[in-house]
Amino acid sequence: ETGVTQTPRHLVMGMTNKKSLKCEQHLGHNAMYWYKQSAKKPLELMFVYSLEERVENNSVPSRFSPECPNSSHLFLHLHTLQPEDSALYLCASSQDFPGLAGDGVHEQFFGPGTRLTVL
Amino acid sequence: GESVGLHLPTLSVQEGDNSIINCAYSNSASDYFIWYKQESGKGPQFIIDIRSNMDKRQGQRVTVLLNKTVKHLSLQIAATQPGDSAVYFCAERNQAGTALIFGKGTTLSVSS
């Protein structure tokens, strides 16, 4: 619906597993983002990529490893996660960084999220 | 530090009423604000944004008001409908200008 798709929609993994979340945007945007949404907490920014280059790593533990092979795809590689990492992981994209120029032009479009449960 | 927050976690209104959702922010240098709506099972969806050089901006059935003196942002929804039931987030651009910082969200419930 928004032009940003995420797979899988649901994921259950053990603490020793390795898995990857995938995000794809069909909007021709230049910036992509990973957010974590936990219950009763604000959305937490994790990573920002602009033109495939990481421009922000918001003190995220190394067990989360992002990858942006091209401007349309963004991955989040997961390994040795903890139960407290269970959350909704949201991907977003924008034409450029938010608020740079034009009202509403650089809004972030969000995907539906991946609901992650770590056992 | 940078942070945004909301005054009330929940708001219940009757269909047809006007709704007002409030948000307070802490960074007086913030220059860009945005409201998102998140329905159950979906990602946040853009509603409206406003720059700090404006006090008010109107969209379709929605109005955003910005009071920089008290660092307060509000979203007004006219003639609220059941389809407006969702969690509403305010957000501001971070100091680096690279991303958005979100508040905790207000859950709006509309009864008919």
Side-chain angles (χ1 to χ4, degrees), chain B residues 30-47:
Chain B
S30 292
D31 61 355
Y32 178 69
F33 304 88
I34 193 166
W35 280 99
Y36 279 91
K37 169 187 179 182
Q38 186 174 22
E39 296 174 274
S40 180
K42 297 184 178 180
Q45 181 182 6
F46 172 86
I47 301 174

Side-chain angles (χ1 to χ4, degrees), chain B residues 2-110:
Chain B
E2 301 176 290
S3 67
V4 292
L6 288 168
H7 294 299
L8 290 174
T10 60
L11 177 64
S12 297
V13 300
Q14 290 285 114
E15 182 178 1
D17 287 351
N18 295 332
S19 302
I20 299 176
I21 301 172
N22 296 305
C23 179
Y25 62 95
S26 61
N27 183 7
S28 57
S30 292
D31 61 355
Y32 178 69
F33 304 88
I34 193 166
W35 280 99
Y36 279 91
K37 169 187 179 182
Q38 186 174 22
E39 296 174 274
S40 180
K42 297 184 178 180
Q45 181 182 6
F46 172 86
I47 301 174
I48 193 168
D49 60 357
I50 189 168
R51 294 187 176 278
S52 58
N53 60 356
M54 302 174 70
D55 297 323
K56 178 180 179 179
R57 189 154 187 250
Q58 287 184 297
Q60 188 174 19
R61 279 202 308 121
V62 295
T63 301
V64 56
L65 297 176
L66 176 63
N67 185 330
K68 295 179 286 293
T69 303
V70 295
K71 293 185 284 188
H72 184 269
L73 190 70
S74 68
L75 177 70
Q76 300 179 358
I77 305 173
T80 314
Q81 302 167 1
D84 295 325
S85 295
V87 181
Y88 289 81
F89 296 93
C90 66
E92 64 176 324
R93 191 159 65 116
N94 65 358
Q95 288 187 346
T98 53
L100 296 172
I101 302 169
F102 285 80
K104 289 185 180 179
T106 290
T107 300
L108 176 65
S109 299
V110 183

